[in-house]
Amino acid sequence: MGSFLELQTRNKNYGKILHITDTHLFAEDSGSLLGINSNASFLAVIDDIKKGDRQYDLIVATGDFVQDGSKKAYARFAEQINKFNTPCVWLAGNHDNYAHMQEVFANYQLVDNKIVLLGDNWLAILLNSQVIGQAYGFLHESELEFLHNALTEHSHRYALIFLHHHPINSGCHWLDHHILKNYEQLEKVIQKHPNVRGLGWGHIHQKQDYVWHKCKAFSTPSTCFQFKPECYDFQLSSDDAPGWREITLNTNGTIDSEVYRLKNNRFLPDISQNGY
């Protein structure tokens, strides 16, 4: 199965994960996307999280780290994440340059492990759904085989799976053109493995929660702009602030999670935009 990261949890009764996604950073401080300075909103999110003074066992970052493809922007992300002094694992989104990610994150000790053994009871698996040059996602046969093998080898552990693209329709017609195209294949693997208890993703810049094949499935808000829910065409939300998700993995196989958002939000998008 290749290398994996093995971590002990701070509390014997549960593990805590911080889920961050879709930061869309720039090399320059002045970089702006859809009316929001995404570097500034990311820093505000990091500051809010640190003010909460919570302790995490693992940070999972699920793609679209940068908007301009620059190594400097990836370094911005890594510098802030390293302030938590907590292991961070990551995967690529449709906007990411994978080679730049690997090079920069390695310099900051952000590990490239796609399997994490967390405490005595849990397993986190990260999947690569990136299709270079496309906004939609796809899990190649090698990724599906990797998932099946990991779940089989660690069948005594409860499993939480992460990817970038959404495998469940979001309710936004325009966004669902950019779904995980072969989500049925992912479903088949999950249905074969009852130890799968959770599935998380980013990409859709929205908070959504489901029960999918008896496991908890959820999307996490972006740290910058949010897409307006239940829209046929592209629309931005002026109501939903940048956010993050905290996940608790209980020893009995259940998952608790909660989304947090910036308070007194000053990061308002330009809602006149019709795409990016």
Side-chain angles (χ1 to χ4, degrees):
M1 284 302 303
S3 63
F4 56 82
L5 178 65
E6 188 167 6
L7 301 173
Q8 290 302 312
T9 56
R10 297 172 188 266
N11 189 300
K12 66 179 182 179
N13 295 318
Y14 58 81
K16 297 284 285 189
I17 294 177
L18 170 63
H19 184 200
I20 291 180
T21 193
D22 297 273
T23 52
H24 291 274
L25 302 177
F26 289 87
E28 303 304 322
D29 286 332
S30 59
S32 179
L33 183 61
L34 298 173
I36 288 183
N37 184 313
S38 53
N39 290 2
S41 66
F42 172 62
L43 290 175
V45 164
I46 295 298
D47 187 53
D48 251 28
I49 295 171
K50 292 188 75 66
K51 284 179 180 176
D53 199 29
R54 295 180 180 87
Q55 299 294 315
Y56 305 104
D57 300 300
L58 180 69
I59 299 171
V60 177
T62 52
D64 282 2
F65 293 89
V66 310
Q67 184 63 25
D68 60 5
S70 69
K71 293 181 181 179
K72 185 176 179 180
Y74 285 113
R76 284 183 179 274
F77 178 87
E79 287 165 2
Q80 294 301 319
I81 291 299
N82 274 355
K83 292 180 179 180
F84 287 98
N85 195 29
T86 299
C88 176
V89 290
W90 51 269
L91 52 81
N94 50 290
H95 285 275
D96 285 313
N97 182 314
Y98 201 85
H100 286 178
M101 293 171 72
Q102 287 182 305
E103 178 182 342
V104 174
F105 288 170
N107 291 336
Y108 287 88
Q109 288 74 54
L110 270 61
V111 295
D112 196 12
N113 297 100
K114 303 308 179 191
I115 296 177
V116 182
L117 305 182
L118 193 57
D120 296 327
N121 300 290
W122 280 91
L123 166 73
I125 303 172
L126 279 68
L127 301 177
N128 181 9
S129 60
Q130 184 190 55
V131 180
I132 296 174
Q134 300 294 337
Y136 63 79
F138 188 87
L139 291 173
H140 290 283
E141 188 60 37
S142 59
E143 285 295 292
L144 294 167
E145 183 178 357
F146 162 74
L147 175 61
H148 169 74
N149 290 341
L151 292 170
T152 300
E153 182 173 335
H154 302 285
S155 60
H156 59 290
R157 289 178 175 265
Y158 306 117
L160 173 58
I161 301 167
F162 289 96
L163 69 166
H164 178 70
H165 293 85
H166 58 305
I168 301 173
N169 281 315
S170 69
C172 291
H173 177 79
W174 72 272
L175 260 178
D176 292 335
H177 287 294
H178 310 310
I179 197 170
L180 181 75
K181 291 295 186 182
N182 61 335
Y183 63 85
E184 298 97 338
Q185 301 294 20
L186 177 60
E187 281 186 285
K188 289 178 181 178
V189 176
I190 289 174
Q191 288 173 316
K192 290 178 181 177
H193 295 277
N195 55 324
V196 177
R197 297 302 175 92
L199 184 66
W201 61 89
H203 189 53
I204 63 172
H205 292 232
Q206 294 175 5
K207 170 190 178 292
Q208 295 192 345
D209 292 272
Y210 308 88
V211 176
W212 198 52
H213 302 298
K214 299 182 180 181
C215 70
K216 187 166 284 191
F218 49 81
S219 65
T220 293
S222 165
T223 65
C224 52
F225 58 86
Q226 313 302 310
F227 296 134
K228 189 173 182 178
E230 302 294 332
C231 288
Y232 188 87
D233 295 316
F234 181 96
Q235 288 191 56
L236 295 168
S237 172
S238 57
D239 300 320
D240 297 318
W244 65 96
R245 186 182 286 268
E246 296 180 4
I247 304 164
T248 302
L249 306 178
N250 301 305
T251 55
N252 65 358
T254 60
I255 296 174
D256 299 314
S257 76
E258 187 170 354
V259 164
Y260 296 86
R261 296 184 186 270
L262 291 180
K263 298 172 183 174
N264 304 315
N265 180 33
R266 69 182 189 274
F267 299 102
L268 299 177
D270 178 358
I271 60 174
S272 69
Q273 300 297 308
N274 59 8
Y276 75 107

